[in-house]
Structure formats: C-alpha cells, structure tokens
Short mmCIF file of all heavy atoms in Angstrom, two decimals:
data_model
loop_
_atom_site.label_atom_id
_atom_site.label_comp_id
_atom_site.label_asym_id
_atom_site.label_seq_id
_atom_site.Cartn_x
_atom_site.Cartn_y
_atom_site.Cartn_z
N ARG A 1 1.42 -6.10 9.60
CA ARG A 1 0.65 -6.41 8.39
C ARG A 1 -0.06 -5.16 7.87
O ARG A 1 -0.03 -4.87 6.66
CB ARG A 1 -0.38 -7.51 8.71
CG ARG A 1 -1.18 -7.93 7.49
CD ARG A 1 -2.30 -8.85 7.88
NE ARG A 1 -1.82 -10.10 8.44
CZ ARG A 1 -2.01 -10.50 9.69
NH1 ARG A 1 -2.68 -9.72 10.54
NH2 ARG A 1 -1.55 -11.65 10.11
N LEU A 2 -0.67 -4.40 8.77
CA LEU A 2 -1.35 -3.17 8.36
C LEU A 2 -0.37 -2.15 7.81
O LEU A 2 -0.66 -1.47 6.80
CB LEU A 2 -2.10 -2.59 9.56
CG LEU A 2 -2.85 -1.26 9.31
CD1 LEU A 2 -3.90 -1.43 8.23
CD2 LEU A 2 -3.48 -0.76 10.61
N ALA A 3 0.80 -2.03 8.42
CA ALA A 3 1.80 -1.08 7.94
C ALA A 3 2.25 -1.44 6.53
O ALA A 3 2.43 -0.55 5.67
CB ALA A 3 3.00 -1.06 8.88
N ALA A 4 2.43 -2.72 6.24
CA ALA A 4 2.83 -3.15 4.90
C ALA A 4 1.73 -2.88 3.89
O ALA A 4 2.00 -2.44 2.75
CB ALA A 4 3.16 -4.65 4.92
N GLN A 5 0.49 -3.10 4.28
CA GLN A 5 -0.64 -2.85 3.39
C GLN A 5 -0.75 -1.38 3.03
O GLN A 5 -0.89 -1.01 1.86
CB GLN A 5 -1.92 -3.33 4.08
CG GLN A 5 -3.18 -3.18 3.26
CD GLN A 5 -4.40 -3.58 4.07
OE1 GLN A 5 -4.64 -3.06 5.15
NE2 GLN A 5 -5.16 -4.54 3.55
N VAL A 6 -0.65 -0.50 4.03
CA VAL A 6 -0.76 0.94 3.79
C VAL A 6 0.41 1.44 2.95
O VAL A 6 0.24 2.25 2.02
CB VAL A 6 -0.84 1.69 5.13
CG1 VAL A 6 -0.74 3.20 4.91
CG2 VAL A 6 -2.12 1.35 5.86
N ALA A 7 1.64 0.97 3.26
CA ALA A 7 2.81 1.41 2.51
C ALA A 7 2.70 1.02 1.04
O ALA A 7 3.05 1.80 0.15
CB ALA A 7 4.07 0.81 3.13
N ALA A 8 2.21 -0.20 0.75
CA ALA A 8 2.07 -0.66 -0.63
C ALA A 8 1.03 0.18 -1.38
O ALA A 8 1.25 0.57 -2.53
CB ALA A 8 1.69 -2.13 -0.66
N ARG A 9 -0.07 0.48 -0.74
CA ARG A 9 -1.10 1.29 -1.39
C ARG A 9 -0.60 2.70 -1.68
O ARG A 9 -0.85 3.26 -2.75
CB ARG A 9 -2.35 1.34 -0.51
CG ARG A 9 -3.11 0.02 -0.46
CD ARG A 9 -4.36 0.13 0.38
NE ARG A 9 -5.12 -1.11 0.35
CZ ARG A 9 -6.27 -1.30 1.01
NH1 ARG A 9 -6.76 -0.32 1.76
NH2 ARG A 9 -6.89 -2.47 0.92
N ASP A 10 0.12 3.29 -0.73
CA ASP A 10 0.65 4.63 -0.95
C ASP A 10 1.69 4.63 -2.07
O ASP A 10 1.75 5.58 -2.87
CB ASP A 10 1.30 5.15 0.34
CG ASP A 10 0.28 5.48 1.41
OD1 ASP A 10 -0.93 5.57 1.08
OD2 ASP A 10 0.66 5.63 2.59
N TRP A 11 2.51 3.59 -2.14
CA TRP A 11 3.53 3.50 -3.19
C TRP A 11 2.88 3.42 -4.57
O TRP A 11 3.31 4.09 -5.51
CB TRP A 11 4.42 2.29 -2.95
CG TRP A 11 5.64 2.26 -3.81
CD1 TRP A 11 6.86 2.82 -3.54
CD2 TRP A 11 5.76 1.63 -5.09
NE1 TRP A 11 7.72 2.57 -4.57
CE2 TRP A 11 7.09 1.86 -5.53
CE3 TRP A 11 4.89 0.92 -5.90
CZ2 TRP A 11 7.55 1.38 -6.76
CZ3 TRP A 11 5.34 0.45 -7.13
CH2 TRP A 11 6.67 0.67 -7.54
N ILE A 12 1.84 2.63 -4.71
CA ILE A 12 1.15 2.49 -6.00
C ILE A 12 0.42 3.78 -6.35
O ILE A 12 0.43 4.23 -7.51
CB ILE A 12 0.17 1.31 -5.94
CG1 ILE A 12 0.94 -0.01 -5.88
CG2 ILE A 12 -0.79 1.31 -7.14
CD1 ILE A 12 0.08 -1.23 -5.68
N ALA A 13 -0.22 4.41 -5.40
CA ALA A 13 -1.00 5.63 -5.66
C ALA A 13 -0.13 6.77 -6.17
O ALA A 13 -0.63 7.66 -6.88
CB ALA A 13 -1.73 6.06 -4.40
N ALA A 14 1.15 6.76 -5.86
CA ALA A 14 2.03 7.86 -6.25
C ALA A 14 2.68 7.63 -7.62
O ALA A 14 3.46 8.47 -8.07
CB ALA A 14 3.13 8.04 -5.20
N ARG A 15 2.32 6.53 -8.31
CA ARG A 15 3.00 6.20 -9.56
C ARG A 15 2.00 5.78 -10.64
O ARG A 15 0.92 5.30 -10.33
CB ARG A 15 4.01 5.06 -9.33
CG ARG A 15 5.20 5.50 -8.52
CD ARG A 15 5.96 4.33 -7.92
NE ARG A 15 7.16 4.79 -7.22
CZ ARG A 15 7.13 5.32 -5.99
NH1 ARG A 15 5.98 5.44 -5.34
NH2 ARG A 15 8.25 5.73 -5.43
N ALA A 16 2.41 5.99 -11.90
CA ALA A 16 1.62 5.52 -13.04
C ALA A 16 1.72 4.00 -13.13
O ALA A 16 2.64 3.39 -12.59
CB ALA A 16 2.11 6.17 -14.33
N LEU A 17 0.76 3.41 -13.85
CA LEU A 17 0.70 1.94 -13.92
C LEU A 17 1.96 1.35 -14.52
O LEU A 17 2.45 0.33 -14.04
CB LEU A 17 -0.52 1.53 -14.75
CG LEU A 17 -0.72 0.02 -14.93
CD1 LEU A 17 -0.92 -0.66 -13.58
CD2 LEU A 17 -1.90 -0.27 -15.85
N ASP A 18 2.52 1.97 -15.57
CA ASP A 18 3.74 1.44 -16.19
C ASP A 18 4.87 1.37 -15.17
O ASP A 18 5.64 0.40 -15.15
CB ASP A 18 4.15 2.32 -17.37
CG ASP A 18 3.22 2.17 -18.56
OD1 ASP A 18 2.41 1.21 -18.55
OD2 ASP A 18 3.27 3.00 -19.48
N GLU A 19 4.98 2.39 -14.33
CA GLU A 19 6.04 2.40 -13.33
C GLU A 19 5.78 1.36 -12.24
O GLU A 19 6.71 0.75 -11.71
CB GLU A 19 6.16 3.79 -12.71
CG GLU A 19 7.35 3.95 -11.78
CD GLU A 19 7.49 5.36 -11.24
OE1 GLU A 19 6.71 6.23 -11.66
OE2 GLU A 19 8.37 5.57 -10.38
N VAL A 20 4.51 1.15 -11.92
CA VAL A 20 4.18 0.14 -10.90
C VAL A 20 4.55 -1.25 -11.41
O VAL A 20 5.18 -2.04 -10.68
CB VAL A 20 2.68 0.19 -10.56
CG1 VAL A 20 2.28 -0.98 -9.68
CG2 VAL A 20 2.33 1.51 -9.87
N VAL A 21 4.19 -1.54 -12.65
CA VAL A 21 4.46 -2.88 -13.20
C VAL A 21 5.96 -3.10 -13.41
O VAL A 21 6.49 -4.17 -13.12
CB VAL A 21 3.70 -3.06 -14.53
CG1 VAL A 21 4.10 -4.38 -15.21
CG2 VAL A 21 2.20 -3.02 -14.29
N GLY A 22 6.66 -2.07 -13.88
CA GLY A 22 8.07 -2.23 -14.18
C GLY A 22 9.01 -1.93 -13.04
O GLY A 22 10.22 -2.16 -13.15
N GLY A 23 8.49 -1.43 -11.92
CA GLY A 23 9.36 -1.00 -10.84
C GLY A 23 9.21 -1.79 -9.56
O GLY A 23 9.44 -1.25 -8.47
N ARG A 24 8.85 -3.07 -9.68
CA ARG A 24 8.62 -3.84 -8.46
C ARG A 24 9.90 -4.13 -7.68
O ARG A 24 9.87 -4.30 -6.46
CB ARG A 24 7.88 -5.13 -8.80
CG ARG A 24 6.40 -4.90 -9.04
CD ARG A 24 5.66 -6.19 -9.25
NE ARG A 24 5.97 -6.78 -10.55
CZ ARG A 24 5.49 -7.95 -10.96
NH1 ARG A 24 4.71 -8.66 -10.17
NH2 ARG A 24 5.80 -8.41 -12.15
N ALA A 25 11.03 -4.18 -8.39
CA ALA A 25 12.30 -4.37 -7.67
C ALA A 25 12.60 -3.16 -6.78
O ALA A 25 13.01 -3.30 -5.63
CB ALA A 25 13.44 -4.60 -8.67
N ALA A 26 12.38 -1.96 -7.34
CA ALA A 26 12.57 -0.75 -6.54
C ALA A 26 11.55 -0.67 -5.42
O ALA A 26 11.86 -0.19 -4.31
CB ALA A 26 12.46 0.49 -7.44
N ALA A 27 10.34 -1.16 -5.68
CA ALA A 27 9.30 -1.14 -4.65
C ALA A 27 9.71 -1.98 -3.44
O ALA A 27 9.45 -1.59 -2.29
CB ALA A 27 7.98 -1.67 -5.22
N THR A 28 10.35 -3.11 -3.68
CA THR A 28 10.75 -3.97 -2.57
C THR A 28 11.69 -3.24 -1.62
O THR A 28 11.50 -3.28 -0.39
CB THR A 28 11.44 -5.24 -3.11
OG1 THR A 28 10.51 -5.98 -3.92
CG2 THR A 28 11.94 -6.12 -1.98
N ALA A 29 12.69 -2.55 -2.17
CA ALA A 29 13.64 -1.83 -1.32
C ALA A 29 12.94 -0.70 -0.55
O ALA A 29 13.16 -0.53 0.65
CB ALA A 29 14.77 -1.27 -2.18
N GLU A 30 12.09 0.06 -1.25
CA GLU A 30 11.44 1.20 -0.60
C GLU A 30 10.42 0.75 0.45
O GLU A 30 10.36 1.32 1.55
CB GLU A 30 10.77 2.08 -1.66
CG GLU A 30 11.76 2.74 -2.61
CD GLU A 30 11.06 3.61 -3.64
OE1 GLU A 30 9.98 4.14 -3.34
OE2 GLU A 30 11.59 3.74 -4.75
N LEU A 31 9.63 -0.25 0.12
CA LEU A 31 8.61 -0.72 1.07
C LEU A 31 9.25 -1.38 2.29
O LEU A 31 8.79 -1.19 3.42
CB LEU A 31 7.67 -1.70 0.37
CG LEU A 31 6.78 -1.12 -0.73
CD1 LEU A 31 5.97 -2.23 -1.40
CD2 LEU A 31 5.86 -0.04 -0.19
N THR A 32 10.32 -2.14 2.06
CA THR A 32 10.99 -2.79 3.19
C THR A 32 11.53 -1.76 4.16
O THR A 32 11.36 -1.87 5.38
CB THR A 32 12.12 -3.70 2.68
OG1 THR A 32 11.57 -4.69 1.80
CG2 THR A 32 12.82 -4.39 3.84
N ALA A 33 12.18 -0.72 3.62
CA ALA A 33 12.74 0.32 4.49
C ALA A 33 11.64 1.06 5.25
O ALA A 33 11.78 1.34 6.45
CB ALA A 33 13.57 1.29 3.65
#
C-alpha cells in the first residue's frame, strides 16, 4: 500500500496537471510495473 502511494505521488509530481488528467491510462501501466 505504501509503495503504491509513493509511486503515485512521484508520478504526479513529475508531470503538469493536463498530463496527469489526460494520462491516467499511461499511469496505470507505469505504476503497476
């Protein structure tokens, strides 16, 4: 649970809001891996 929380925060912090909102499909693949 903690690993998923940290990975999601790091993924959002590295991207602009438009990319975060529009790139959730890509986020799933990257966060899962």
Side-chain angles (χ1 to χ4, degrees):
R1 183 188 296 115
L2 178 60
Q5 182 184 55
V6 172
R9 289 182 176 180
D10 289 345
W11 191 89
I12 290 174
R15 290 162 176 79
L17 180 61
D18 288 347
E19 187 177 356
V20 172
V21 173
R24 282 185 288 177
T28 298
E30 294 180 30
L31 294 176
T32 300

